[in-house]
Amino acid sequence: MATVRQMLDKKGHEVYTVAPDVTVFEALEKMAEYNVGALPVVDASGQIVGLFSERDYARKVILRGKASKDIPVSEIMSTHVLYITPETTDWQCMALMTDKRVRHLPVLEEGRLVGFISIGDVVKSIMDEQKFHIEQLEQYIQRGRS
């Protein structure tokens, strides 16, 4: 099993964030610029205070008839944020994401935001592991036939 630290070493540790007082529209522009589906919301001290996702936008802005240029992210962000550590395994991430129905998890180390993992990152990690195991089994079988 791969750890989150290993996943971040492959993908990169850069985390795009947004402040609670920016407008939803500005946050959406940033998400489009970086091609991400969610952004951790951090205060001036760098602490996570929420998570803003495409799901929040769809359910709390569009469906309620609000204007994204008029409301701050803090008004619609999810405030109950689950997080993981660099030692969490990909399978633990998958279990947590499935159980809690979330697609993004901030990675905290000693209270500091050090990464951000999506369901796509977790699926890729697990698929890479499965591919490796299949290749190992195929080699084992081929050696046995020789």
Side-chain angles (χ1 to χ4, degrees), residues 55-114:
R55 184 183 289 177
D56 292 320
Y57 175 68
R59 293 181 181 178
K60 299 174 187 172
V61 177
I62 295 295
L63 291 179
R64 294 183 185 172
K66 296 182 181 184
S68 60
K69 291 185 179 184
D70 299 333
I71 56 175
V73 167
S74 60
E75 190 175 312
I76 67 159
M77 68 185 183
S78 300
T79 55
H80 179 72
V81 181
L82 302 171
Y83 69 90
I84 52 176
T85 68
E87 289 73 37
T88 306
T89 67
D90 50 8
W91 285 95
Q92 290 170 322
C93 290
M94 181 65 76
L96 179 63
M97 290 172 145
T98 302
D99 183 53
K100 301 299 182 184
R101 296 180 182 216
V102 297
R103 298 178 193 156
H104 302 89
L105 293 169
V107 183
L108 300 182
E109 187 168 37
E110 297 177 11
R112 199 171 42 91
L113 182 63
V114 296

Coordinates of all heavy atoms in Angstrom, one line a residue, residues 55-114:
R55 N -19.3 20.9 -5.8 CA -20.6 20.4 -5.2 C -21.2 21.5 -4.4 O -22.4 21.8 -4.5 CB -20.3 19.2 -4.4 CG -21.5 18.6 -3.8 CD -21.2 17.4 -2.9 NE -20.8 16.3 -3.7 CZ -20.4 15.1 -3.2 NH1 -20.4 15.0 -1.8 NH2 -20.0 14.1 -3.9
D56 N -20.4 22.3 -3.6 CA -20.9 23.4 -2.8 C -21.5 24.4 -3.7 O -22.6 25.0 -3.5 CB -19.8 24.0 -2.0 CG -19.3 23.1 -0.9 OD1 -20.1 22.4 -0.2 OD2 -18.0 23.1 -0.7
Y57 N -20.8 24.7 -4.8 CA -21.3 25.7 -5.8 C -22.7 25.3 -6.4 O -23.6 26.1 -6.4 CB -20.3 26.0 -6.9 CG -20.8 26.9 -7.9 CD1 -21.0 28.2 -7.7 CD2 -21.0 26.4 -9.2 CE1 -21.5 29.1 -8.7 CE2 -21.5 27.3 -10.2 CZ -21.7 28.6 -9.9 OH -22.2 29.4 -10.9
A58 N -22.7 24.1 -6.8 CA -23.9 23.6 -7.5 C -25.1 23.6 -6.5 O -26.2 23.9 -6.9 CB -23.7 22.2 -8.1
R59 N -24.9 23.1 -5.3 CA -26.0 22.9 -4.4 C -26.4 24.2 -3.6 O -27.5 24.3 -3.2 CB -25.7 21.8 -3.4 CG -25.6 20.5 -4.1 CD -25.3 19.4 -3.2 NE -25.2 18.1 -3.9 CZ -24.9 17.0 -3.3 NH1 -24.6 16.9 -2.0 NH2 -24.9 15.9 -4.0
K60 N -25.4 25.1 -3.3 CA -25.6 26.2 -2.4 C -25.7 27.5 -3.1 O -26.0 28.5 -2.5 CB -24.5 26.2 -1.4 CG -24.5 24.9 -0.5 CD -23.4 25.0 0.5 CE -23.3 23.6 1.2 NZ -22.0 23.6 2.0
V61 N -25.3 27.6 -4.4 CA -25.4 28.9 -5.1 C -26.4 28.7 -6.3 O -27.5 29.4 -6.2 CB -24.0 29.3 -5.7 CG1 -24.1 30.5 -6.5 CG2 -23.0 29.5 -4.6
I62 N -26.1 27.9 -7.2 CA -27.0 27.8 -8.4 C -28.4 27.4 -8.0 O -29.4 28.0 -8.4 CB -26.4 26.8 -9.4 CG1 -25.1 27.3 -9.9 CG2 -27.4 26.5 -10.5 CD1 -25.2 28.5 -10.8
L63 N -28.5 26.3 -7.3 CA -29.9 25.8 -6.9 C -30.7 26.7 -6.0 O -31.9 26.6 -5.9 CB -29.8 24.4 -6.3 CG -29.3 23.3 -7.3 CD1 -29.3 22.0 -6.5 CD2 -30.3 23.2 -8.4
R64 N -30.0 27.6 -5.3 CA -30.7 28.6 -4.4 C -30.8 29.9 -5.0 O -31.3 30.9 -4.4 CB -29.9 28.7 -3.1 CG -29.9 27.4 -2.3 CD -29.2 27.5 -1.0 NE -29.2 26.2 -0.3 CZ -28.5 26.0 0.8 NH1 -27.8 27.0 1.3 NH2 -28.5 24.8 1.3
G65 N -30.4 30.0 -6.3 CA -30.6 31.3 -7.0 C -29.8 32.4 -6.6 O -30.1 33.6 -6.8
K66 N -28.6 32.1 -6.0 CA -27.7 33.2 -5.5 C -26.8 33.6 -6.6 O -26.6 32.9 -7.6 CB -26.9 32.7 -4.3 CG -27.8 32.5 -3.1 CD -27.0 32.0 -1.9 CE -27.9 31.8 -0.7 NZ -27.1 31.4 0.5
A67 N -26.1 34.7 -6.5 CA -25.1 35.2 -7.5 C -23.7 35.0 -7.0 O -23.4 35.5 -5.9 CB -25.4 36.7 -7.8
S68 N -22.9 34.3 -7.7 CA -21.6 33.9 -7.3 C -20.7 35.1 -7.1 O -19.7 35.0 -6.4 CB -21.0 32.9 -8.3 OG -20.9 33.4 -9.6
K69 N -21.0 36.2 -7.8 CA -20.1 37.4 -7.6 C -20.5 38.2 -6.4 O -19.7 39.1 -6.0 CB -20.3 38.3 -8.9 CG -19.6 37.7 -10.1 CD -19.7 38.6 -11.3 CE -19.0 38.0 -12.5 NZ -18.9 38.9 -13.6
D70 N -21.6 37.9 -5.7 CA -22.0 38.6 -4.6 C -21.8 38.0 -3.2 O -21.9 38.6 -2.2 CB -23.5 38.9 -4.7 CG -23.9 39.7 -5.9 OD1 -23.0 40.5 -6.4 OD2 -25.0 39.6 -6.4
I71 N -21.4 36.7 -3.2 CA -21.3 36.0 -1.9 C -19.9 35.5 -1.7 O -19.2 35.1 -2.6 CB -22.3 34.9 -1.7 CG1 -22.2 33.9 -2.8 CG2 -23.7 35.4 -1.7 CD1 -23.1 32.7 -2.7
P72 N -19.4 35.6 -0.4 CA -18.1 35.1 -0.1 C -18.1 33.6 0.0 O -19.1 33.0 0.3 CB -17.7 35.8 1.2 CG -19.1 36.0 1.9 CD -20.0 36.2 0.7
V73 N -16.9 33.0 -0.2 CA -16.8 31.5 -0.1 C -17.2 31.1 1.3 O -17.8 30.0 1.4 CB -15.3 31.2 -0.4 CG1 -15.0 29.7 0.0 CG2 -15.0 31.3 -1.9
S74 N -16.9 31.9 2.3 CA -17.3 31.5 3.7 C -18.7 31.2 3.9 O -19.1 30.5 4.8 CB -16.8 32.6 4.7 OG -17.4 33.8 4.4
E75 N -19.6 31.8 3.1 CA -21.0 31.6 3.2 C -21.5 30.3 2.7 O -22.5 29.8 3.2 CB -21.8 32.7 2.4 CG -23.3 32.8 2.7 CD -23.9 34.0 2.1 OE1 -23.4 35.1 2.1 OE2 -25.0 33.7 1.4
I76 N -20.8 29.6 1.9 CA -21.2 28.4 1.3 C -20.2 27.2 1.5 O -20.6 26.1 1.1 CB -21.6 28.5 -0.2 CG1 -20.4 28.8 -1.0 CG2 -22.7 29.5 -0.4 CD1 -20.6 28.4 -2.5
M77 N -19.1 27.5 2.0 CA -18.1 26.4 2.1 C -18.5 25.3 3.1 O -19.3 25.6 4.0 CB -16.7 27.0 2.5 CG -16.7 27.5 4.0 SD -15.2 28.3 4.4 CE -15.5 28.7 6.1
S78 N -18.0 24.1 2.9 CA -18.2 23.1 3.9 C -17.3 23.3 5.1 O -16.1 23.5 4.9 CB -17.9 21.7 3.3 OG -18.8 21.5 2.2
T79 N -17.8 23.4 6.3 CA -17.0 23.7 7.4 C -16.5 22.5 8.2 O -15.5 22.5 9.0 CB -17.7 24.7 8.4 OG1 -18.9 24.1 8.8 CG2 -17.9 26.0 7.8
H80 N -17.1 21.4 8.0 CA -16.7 20.1 8.6 C -15.7 19.4 7.6 O -16.1 18.8 6.7 CB -17.9 19.2 8.9 CG -17.5 17.9 9.5 ND1 -17.0 17.8 10.8 CD2 -17.4 16.6 9.0 CE1 -16.7 16.6 11.1 NE2 -17.0 15.8 10.0
V81 N -14.4 19.7 7.9 CA -13.4 19.2 6.9 C -12.7 18.0 7.5 O -12.1 18.1 8.6 CB -12.4 20.3 6.6 CG1 -11.4 19.8 5.6 CG2 -13.1 21.5 6.1
L82 N -12.8 16.9 6.8 CA -12.0 15.7 7.2 C -10.6 15.9 6.6 O -10.4 16.6 5.6 CB -12.6 14.5 6.5 CG -14.1 14.2 6.9 CD1 -14.6 13.0 6.0 CD2 -14.2 13.8 8.3
Y83 N -9.6 15.3 7.3 CA -8.3 15.4 6.8 C -7.5 14.1 7.1 O -8.0 13.2 7.8 CB -7.5 16.6 7.4 CG -7.3 16.4 8.9 CD1 -6.1 15.8 9.3 CD2 -8.2 16.8 9.9 CE1 -5.8 15.6 10.7 CE2 -7.9 16.6 11.2 CZ -6.8 16.0 11.6 OH -6.5 15.8 13.0
I84 N -6.4 14.0 6.4 CA -5.5 12.8 6.6 C -4.1 13.3 6.8 O -3.8 14.5 6.8 CB -5.6 12.0 5.3 CG1 -5.2 12.8 4.0 CG2 -6.9 11.2 5.2 CD1 -5.2 12.1 2.7
T85 N -3.2 12.4 7.1 CA -1.8 12.7 7.4 C -1.0 12.0 6.3 O -1.5 11.1 5.6 CB -1.4 12.1 8.7 OG1 -1.4 10.7 8.7 CG2 -2.3 12.6 9.9
P86 N 0.3 12.4 6.2 CA 1.1 11.8 5.2 C 1.3 10.3 5.3 O 1.6 9.6 4.4 CB 2.5 12.5 5.3 CG 2.1 13.8 5.9 CD 0.9 13.5 6.8
E87 N 1.1 9.8 6.5 CA 1.2 8.3 6.8 C 0.0 7.5 6.4 O 0.0 6.3 6.4 CB 1.6 8.1 8.3 CG 3.0 8.5 8.6 CD 3.1 10.0 8.7 OE1 2.2 10.7 9.2 OE2 4.2 10.6 8.3
T88 N -1.1 8.2 6.1 CA -2.4 7.5 5.8 C -2.1 6.7 4.5 O -1.4 7.2 3.6 CB -3.5 8.5 5.6 OG1 -3.6 9.3 6.7 CG2 -4.8 7.8 5.3
T89 N -2.7 5.5 4.4 CA -2.5 4.7 3.1 C -3.5 5.1 2.1 O -4.6 5.6 2.5 CB -2.5 3.2 3.4 OG1 -3.9 2.9 3.8 CG2 -1.5 2.8 4.5
D90 N -3.3 4.7 0.9 CA -4.3 4.9 -0.2 C -5.6 4.2 0.1 O -6.6 4.7 -0.1 CB -3.7 4.6 -1.6 CG -3.0 3.2 -1.7 OD1 -3.1 2.4 -0.7 OD2 -2.4 3.0 -2.7
W91 N -5.4 3.0 0.6 CA -6.7 2.2 0.9 C -7.5 2.8 2.1 O -8.7 2.8 2.1 CB -6.3 0.8 1.3 CG -6.0 0.0 0.0 CD1 -4.7 -0.3 -0.5 CD2 -6.9 -0.6 -0.9 NE1 -4.8 -1.0 -1.6 CE2 -6.1 -1.2 -1.9 CE3 -8.3 -0.8 -0.9 CZ2 -6.7 -1.9 -3.0 CZ3 -8.8 -1.4 -2.0 CH2 -8.1 -2.0 -3.0
Q92 N -6.8 3.4 3.1 CA -7.5 4.1 4.1 C -8.2 5.4 3.6 O -9.3 5.7 4.0 CB -6.5 4.5 5.2 CG -6.0 3.3 6.0 CD -4.8 3.7 7.0 OE1 -4.0 4.5 6.6 NE2 -4.8 3.1 8.2
C93 N -7.5 6.1 2.7 CA -8.1 7.2 2.0 C -9.4 6.8 1.3 O -10.4 7.4 1.4 CB -7.2 7.9 1.0 SG -5.8 8.7 1.7
M94 N -9.3 5.7 0.5 CA -10.4 5.2 -0.2 C -11.6 4.9 0.7 O -12.7 5.2 0.4 CB -10.0 4.0 -1.1 CG -11.2 3.4 -1.9 SD -11.7 4.5 -3.2 CE -10.4 4.4 -4.4
A95 N -11.3 4.2 1.8 CA -12.3 3.8 2.7 C -13.0 5.1 3.3 O -14.2 5.1 3.4 CB -11.8 3.0 3.8
L96 N -12.2 6.1 3.7 CA -12.7 7.3 4.3 C -13.6 8.1 3.3 O -14.7 8.5 3.6 CB -11.6 8.2 4.8 CG -12.0 9.5 5.4 CD1 -12.8 9.3 6.7 CD2 -10.7 10.3 5.8
M97 N -13.1 8.2 2.1 CA -13.8 8.9 1.0 C -15.1 8.2 0.7 O -16.1 8.9 0.5 CB -12.9 9.1 -0.2 CG -11.7 10.0 0.0 SD -10.6 9.9 -1.5 CE -10.1 11.6 -1.5
T98 N -15.1 6.9 0.6 CA -16.3 6.2 0.3 C -17.3 6.3 1.4 O -18.5 6.5 1.2 CB -15.9 4.7 0.0 OG1 -15.0 4.6 -1.0 CG2 -17.2 3.9 -0.3
D99 N -16.8 6.1 2.7 CA -17.7 6.1 3.8 C -18.4 7.5 4.0 O -19.5 7.6 4.3 CB -17.0 5.7 5.1 CG -17.8 5.6 6.3 OD1 -18.9 5.0 6.2 OD2 -17.5 6.3 7.3
K100 N -17.6 8.5 3.9 CA -18.0 9.9 4.1 C -18.5 10.6 2.9 O -19.0 11.8 3.0 CB -16.9 10.7 4.8 CG -16.5 10.1 6.1 CD -17.6 10.0 7.1 CE -17.1 9.5 8.5 NZ -18.1 9.3 9.4
R101 N -18.4 10.0 1.7 CA -18.8 10.5 0.5 C -18.2 11.9 0.2 O -18.9 12.9 -0.1 CB -20.4 10.6 0.4 CG -21.0 9.3 0.5 CD -22.5 9.3 0.4 NE -23.0 8.0 0.5 CZ -24.1 7.6 -0.1 NH1 -24.7 8.4 -0.9 NH2 -24.5 6.3 0.0
V102 N -16.9 11.9 0.3 CA -16.1 13.1 -0.1 C -15.1 12.8 -1.2 O -14.8 11.6 -1.4 CB -15.3 13.7 1.2 CG1 -16.3 14.1 2.2 CG2 -14.3 12.7 1.7
R103 N -14.7 13.8 -1.9 CA -13.9 13.6 -3.1 C -12.5 14.2 -2.9 O -11.6 14.0 -3.7 CB -14.5 14.1 -4.3 CG -15.8 13.5 -4.7 CD -16.4 14.2 -5.9 NE -17.8 13.8 -6.0 CZ -18.7 14.5 -6.7 NH1 -18.4 15.6 -7.2 NH2 -19.9 14.0 -6.8
H104 N -12.3 15.0 -1.8 CA -11.1 15.7 -1.6 C -10.7 15.6 -0.1 O -11.6 15.8 0.7 CB -11.2 17.1 -2.0 CG -11.5 17.3 -3.5 ND1 -12.8 17.3 -3.9 CD2 -10.8 17.3 -4.6 CE1 -12.9 17.4 -5.2 NE2 -11.6 17.4 -5.6
L105 N -9.4 15.4 0.2 CA -8.9 15.4 1.6 C -7.7 16.3 1.7 O -6.7 16.0 1.0 CB -8.6 14.0 2.0 CG -9.8 13.0 2.1 CD1 -9.3 11.6 2.3 CD2 -10.7 13.4 3.3
P106 N -7.7 17.2 2.6 CA -6.4 18.0 2.9 C -5.5 17.1 3.6 O -5.9 16.2 4.4 CB -6.9 19.1 3.8 CG -8.4 19.1 3.7 CD -8.8 17.8 3.3
V107 N -4.2 17.3 3.5 CA -3.2 16.5 4.2 C -2.5 17.4 5.2 O -2.0 18.4 4.8 CB -2.1 15.9 3.2 CG1 -1.1 15.1 3.9 CG2 -2.8 15.1 2.0
L108 N -2.6 17.1 6.4 CA -2.1 17.9 7.5 C -0.9 17.1 8.2 O -1.0 15.9 8.5 CB -3.1 18.3 8.5 CG -4.3 19.1 8.1 CD1 -5.2 19.4 9.3 CD2 -3.9 20.3 7.4
E109 N 0.1 17.9 8.4 CA 1.3 17.3 9.2 C 1.6 18.3 10.3 O 2.0 19.5 10.0 CB 2.5 17.1 8.3 CG 3.6 16.3 9.0 CD 4.6 15.8 8.0 OE1 4.9 16.5 7.0 OE2 5.2 14.7 8.2
E110 N 1.5 17.9 11.5 CA 1.7 18.8 12.7 C 0.8 20.1 12.6 O 1.3 21.2 12.8 CB 3.2 19.1 12.8 CG 4.0 17.9 13.1 CD 5.5 18.2 13.2 OE1 5.9 19.4 13.2 OE2 6.3 17.2 13.2
G111 N -0.4 19.9 12.1 CA -1.3 21.0 12.0 C -1.1 21.9 10.8 O -1.9 22.9 10.6
R112 N -0.2 21.6 10.0 CA 0.1 22.4 8.8 C -0.3 21.7 7.5 O -0.1 20.5 7.3 CB 1.7 22.6 8.8 CG 2.2 23.7 8.0 CD 3.7 23.9 8.2 NE 4.4 22.7 8.2 CZ 5.0 22.1 7.2 NH1 4.9 22.7 6.0 NH2 5.7 21.0 7.3
L113 N -0.9 22.5 6.6 CA -1.4 21.9 5.3 C -0.2 21.7 4.4 O 0.6 22.6 4.1 CB -2.3 23.0 4.6 CG -2.9 22.6 3.3 CD1 -3.8 21.3 3.5 CD2 -3.7 23.7 2.7
V114 N 0.0 20.4 4.1 CA 1.2 20.0 3.3 C 0.8 19.3 2.0 O 1.7 19.0 1.2 CB 2.1 19.0 4.1 CG1 2.7 19.8 5.3 CG2 1.4 17.8 4.5

